[in-house]
Amino acid sequence: MQIETPYLMFLGDVPDRLAAKTAYGIVDWRPEWCIGQIRLPGCAADLGIPDLTLDEALAKGCRTMVIGVANAGGVLPEHWVAEIVAALEAGFDVASGLHARLGAVPAIAEAAARRGRALHDVRHTDETFATGKGTKRPGRRLLAVGTDCSVGKKYTVLALEKGMRARGMDADFRATGQTGVFISGRGVSIDAVVADFISGAVEWIAPAADPKHWDLIEGQGSLYHPSFAGVSLGLLHGAQADAFVVCHEPSRTTMRGVQHPLPSIRQVIDLTIQLGSLTNPGIRPTGIAVNTQALEEDTARSLLDKLGAEYGLPATDPVRFGVDGLVDRLIAEFPETAP
């Protein structure tokens, strides 16, 4: 699909920042595409870009209204339908990363057809995938795994791509979620793939490559999350990961959306090695990425130092403090991929 830019970001009336993580991700990594935002009363998220009406956004050149929301189940609230129809009537295309298909809502489908506007359901693909085979393929692959969902897995691999390329390494971000697809222009929302084909879809996303090449694969959910572990396991097997970075948010005690306790970093490392060795017996951890946004800088640095010493791995906040240590460890573990 070809989604026309620039974007008007639609946030609806989401209750918190995490519910709008799709929009935040696009703004953070493609700010030049994001001209403004449109919010409904009660919205608790703010992207820090101008609030615009539909007419104002059109006057500034916006082409597509992006529904920048990732809610539980990927549903489209009924009271948003009128806003989407109004955007289509005004002349916008509409793109969504929700599970719910835009065209399945009669009022939206009718408005798009009448106005000749495009509907993009980024979470869905027409690609046909084989079942995963787990056969060794050339090239190197790193997977971001997590103690929970929404802890920074996508940001970690995007930061790694930037850092590795700056040092002359051959590395590509591979999107496995709707936000990543918006950012990269390629990939598959793995959580929308029929379960039997999840690992095969990941093999398609990160195929055989040059032995020095790194595919940096966006993780999803957590192996410990009762809602999403099935997706995380299929992703792990299909990635056939040589290396993994554990992503963590230190202020949480339970996993998002459930009452189950947050697993420890050690538990995630051990289970990832145990399960990942099915398709790559050489899988190993190469770093810890911590989202320290809620911590003061001194506290954050102290925590990272403690985790690094405890696990014998480089620990960093990739956005706040960079990824040099993570890249150094990859080169040390896989010297053949050095520039």
Side-chain angles (χ1 to χ4, degrees):
M1 63 184 69
Q2 183 64 44
I3 302 174
E4 296 290 335
T5 60
Y7 298 151
L8 172 65
M9 309 303 296
F10 177 80
L11 303 183
D13 50 358
V14 296
D16 56 31
R17 177 188 174 97
L18 276 180
K21 68 176 187 176
T22 294
Y24 279 98
I26 300 169
V27 169
D28 284 346
W29 294 97
R30 294 290 184 265
E32 69 277 12
W33 292 353
C34 302
I35 303 302
Q37 63 185 2
I38 186 167
R39 300 183 290 169
L40 300 181
C43 181
D46 185 349
L47 301 173
I49 58 178
D51 286 289
L52 301 176
T53 65
L54 293 175
D55 287 342
E56 289 169 342
L58 279 175
K60 290 180 177 292
C62 290
R63 304 291 299 279
T64 302
M65 187 173 82
V66 174
I67 301 173
V69 175
N71 56 31
V75 299
L76 179 64
E78 287 187 14
H79 64 285
W80 291 5
V81 172
E83 305 295 329
I84 295 168
V85 169
L88 292 165
E89 295 285 5
F92 288 93
D93 294 341
V94 177
S96 168
L98 298 171
H99 281 295
R101 293 180 183 266
L102 293 167
V105 180
I108 293 174
E110 291 164 8
R114 182 172 60 255
R115 295 287 290 148
R117 308 315 308 174
L119 300 175
H120 300 289
D121 291 302
V122 176
R123 209 158 194 159
H124 301 278
T125 177
D126 295 327
E127 190 73 31
T128 300
F129 303 111
T131 55
K133 300 300 185 288
T135 304
K136 182 65 177 175
R137 58 196 191 272
R140 294 293 186 183
R141 288 159 200 91
L142 178 145
L143 176 66
V145 302
T147 55
D148 195 5
C149 52
S150 303
V151 290
K153 294 181 285 289
K154 174 176 59 271
Y155 278 53
T156 295
V157 287
L158 282 164
L160 270 171
E161 179 192 53
K162 184 177 180 180
M164 292 168 74
R165 286 182 173 182
R167 292 171 64 169
M169 299 178 74
D170 184 9
D172 286 312
F173 167 70
R174 300 302 187 192
T176 64
Q178 70 277 7
T179 309
V181 174
F182 273 121
I183 292 167
S184 70
R186 183 183 185 274
V188 176
S189 288
I190 292 299
D191 62 4
V193 174
V194 173
D196 274 358
F197 305 102
I198 289 174
S199 59
V202 182
E203 292 179 358
W204 178 86
I205 290 169
D210 185 272
K212 294 186 66 171
H213 177 78
W214 280 100
D215 275 335
L216 309 173
I217 303 171
E218 176 189 10
Q220 296 295 325
S222 171
L223 290 171
Y224 279 89
H225 200 295
S227 303
F228 310 120
V231 173
S232 305
L233 180 59
L235 179 52
L236 175 62
H237 286 159
Q240 202 175 79
D242 299 286
F244 64 92
V245 173
V246 180
C247 302
H248 178 62
E249 209 281 13
S251 69
R252 300 184 194 178
T253 56
T254 59
M255 287 180 282
R256 185 163 170 80
V258 297
Q259 294 303 310
H260 291 66
L262 200 74
S264 69
I265 291 171
R266 172 54 61 194
Q267 286 176 301
V268 172
I269 289 174
D270 291 346
L271 189 60
T272 301
I273 292 172
Q274 178 187 351
L275 298 176
S277 62
L278 175 70
T279 56
N280 188 346
I283 187 172
R284 70 198 76 166
T286 57
I288 299 169
V290 183
N291 180 349
T292 66
Q293 187 175 37
L295 305 178
E296 296 293 335
E297 182 167 338
D298 288 347
T299 304
R301 290 189 183 277
S302 177
L303 174 63
L304 294 171
D305 289 343
K306 177 183 176 183
L307 292 174
E310 180 179 354
Y311 293 101
L313 295 168
T316 187
D317 181 324
V319 174
R320 196 174 189 178
F321 303 128
V323 295
D324 284 346
L326 301 181
V327 178
D328 289 342
R329 184 60 172 259
L330 280 178
I331 292 173
E333 294 278 348
F334 304 93
E336 72 280 4
T337 66

